[in-house]
Amino acid sequence: MSKKVSVFRKEHFNAAHRLFNPGWDDVTNEKVFGKCALPHYHGHNYEMEVKVTGKPDKKTGYVIDLKELGDLVKREIHSRFDHKNLNLDTKEFKNLNPTAENIVVVIYKLLRPHIDKKMGLQIRLYETPRNFVEYPVN
Amino acid sequence: MVYLTRLEHFNAAHKLYNPAWTPEKNDEVFGPCANENWHGHNYELFVTIKGQPDPDTGFIYDVKQLSVLIREKVIEKVDHRNLNLDVEFMQGKICSTENLAVGIWNELKQNLPLGIQLHCIKLYETPRIYVEYFGEQNA
C-alpha cells in the first residue's frame, strides 16, 4: 500500500502555569493576560494529540507502532511536564511564556528528533476542552 | 421530583499536602500531586438542584439565575486561582477534589433561595476523575 496515512496517539499531562512577560510591569501583564497573569498560578489538564503521517510499512502494516509512540510521548513530554509548574519547574519555560502556542512548539521540537524523518509530525494541544492549538501548520 | 443540572467550569492550581506531615510522608502519600510548586486542572462542575416545576413557569428554578449564583459564589472565587493560597473556603483544608466538592456545596447551599434544594455537586478534576457529594443525609 503506497498511500499515506495519518495515525494519532493521545496523551495528557496536568500542570500549573501563569502567563507573564517579565519585561512588562504588573499592570500591563494584567491588562494583556487578565486572570492568566495572577501571581499564584492556575492550571490545566493538557491533552495532546500526536499525529504521524507516512506510508504504512510493507512488513508490519504500521505507519508507526502506536505503543512505541505512546512510550516516547510519556518519556519526552509527560515526564517533563506532568504535575509540574511550567514556569518554575521546567527548563524549557524558564525564559519562555508558557502559552499553549509556545508549549505546542516545544513539544514538537522535543519529539521530532525521535521520529523517522520520512514521517510527518503534527501536534494538537488542548489547554482546555475549548481552547486548542496546532503545530506545525500545513 | 425533577432534577436540574447546570454545568460550569474553572481552571485552578493546587497541591495535595498535609502540613502536619514531613515532606517525605507527603511525597509517599500524594506522589507527584504534592509537588511543592503546584500543578493544575481544568475542573468541570455539575450543580444539580431538585424540586417540582412551578406551575406558572414550568421551571424548578430559572437556570440562568442558577448560573449567575454559581459564578458569583464559586467560579469568581476559584477560577484561575491557587486553591491552597487564594480560596478562603478551602483554608485549613487539604485541596482534594473531595474536599473541594464539599466546600462548593457549602458555598452554594447557604446562598440558594428558600425552597430550592441542592441535590448534588459533581466535580471533575480530570476527564477521568470525578467526585459526587449529596450533602449529609441526616444533617
Side-chain angles (χ1 to χ4, degrees):
Chain A
M1 187 175 163
S2 61
K3 295 265 192 285
K4 280 187 177 178
V5 178
S6 293
V7 300
F8 299 77
R9 175 78 190 187
K10 290 185 183 179
E11 294 289 338
H12 57 91
F13 62 92
N14 309 320
H17 79 158
R18 71 183 290 217
L19 302 184
F20 186 77
N21 182 331
W24 295 341
D25 59 24
D26 289 350
V27 176
T28 309
N29 270 291
E30 204 185 313
K31 194 173 150 197
V32 175
F33 296 122
K35 285 180 181 175
C36 297
L38 283 169
H40 291 151
Y41 308 96
H42 61 282
H44 298 287
N45 304 324
Y46 291 93
E47 301 271 346
M48 290 173 278
E49 291 175 12
V50 178
K51 174 183 175 184
V52 177
T53 302
K55 292 179 180 173
D57 181 272
K58 287 197 175 72
K59 293 193 189 78
T60 63
Y62 285 166
V63 171
I64 187 170
D65 184 324
L66 283 172
K67 171 71 170 68
E68 285 177 18
L69 181 61
D71 290 346
L72 171 70
V73 176
K74 286 187 189 83
R75 192 173 71 239
E76 291 296 326
I77 311 300
H78 192 269
S79 66
R80 273 187 169 83
F81 301 145
D82 185 49
H83 284 76
K84 298 287 165 59
N85 183 311
L86 298 178
N87 305 75
L88 299 180
D89 298 332
T90 73
K91 66 176 190 297
E92 288 78 9
F93 299 102
K94 275 275 182 283
N95 299 303
L96 182 65
N97 203 21
T99 60
E101 292 87 332
N102 283 337
I103 298 168
V104 79
V105 174
V106 164
I107 290 172
Y108 175 85
K109 286 180 177 168
L110 287 168
L111 293 178
R112 183 69 266 190
H114 301 283
I115 291 169
D116 191 326
K117 285 195 185 77
K118 293 197 298 288
M119 304 294 180
L121 175 65
Q122 188 180 36
I123 315 295
R124 177 180 279 192
L125 177 71
Y126 286 80
E127 186 175 76
T128 73
R130 290 156 290 276
N131 295 341
F132 58 97
V133 295
E134 270 185 350
Y135 182 79
V137 175
N138 285 327
Chain B
M1 193 74 82
V2 181
Y3 297 78
L4 171 67
T5 300
R6 175 80 195 185
L7 168 59
E8 300 285 344
H9 57 91
F10 58 94
N11 311 315
H14 80 154
K15 67 177 169 185
L16 300 183
Y17 195 83
N18 185 331
W21 293 343
T22 62
E24 292 74 23
K25 172 86 172 169
N26 273 286
D27 274 350
E28 188 190 317
V29 174
F30 296 124
C33 298
N35 178 33
E36 65 169 340
N37 286 332
W38 328 102
H39 63 284
H41 300 287
N42 303 326
Y43 290 91
E44 299 277 343
L45 171 63
F46 294 74
V47 175
T48 303
I49 60 171
K50 62 183 171 185
Q52 295 295 346
D54 180 282
D56 292 327
T57 62
F59 291 164
I60 298 168
Y61 184 46
D62 184 334
V63 79
K64 175 69 183 151
Q65 288 301 313
L66 181 60
S67 170
V68 169
L69 187 76
I70 298 166
R71 284 174 193 226
E72 276 180 8
K73 302 300 176 191
V74 179
I75 306 298
E76 289 282 315
K77 295 174 183 171
V78 296
D79 188 37
H80 285 75
R81 307 285 164 166
N82 183 310
L83 300 176
N84 301 71
L85 298 180
D86 300 330
V87 179
E88 202 174 324
F89 70 79
M90 293 306 290
Q91 291 308 297
K93 295 176 189 164
I94 294 170
C95 290
S96 63
T97 319
E98 293 88 330
N99 284 343
L100 186 55
V102 174
I104 290 171
W105 172 284
N106 292 335
E107 289 300 299
L108 287 176
K109 178 89 175 158
Q110 59 183 313
N111 287 294
L112 276 170
L114 272 178
I116 306 297
Q117 285 180 271
L118 190 55
H119 173 65
C120 178
I121 297 297
K122 179 155 89 169
L123 182 64
Y124 278 79
E125 184 178 76
T126 75
R128 291 157 288 274
I129 299 171
Y130 69 92
V131 303
E132 290 174 310
Y133 182 60
F134 296 91
E136 298 305 322
Q137 304 299 324
N138 300 316

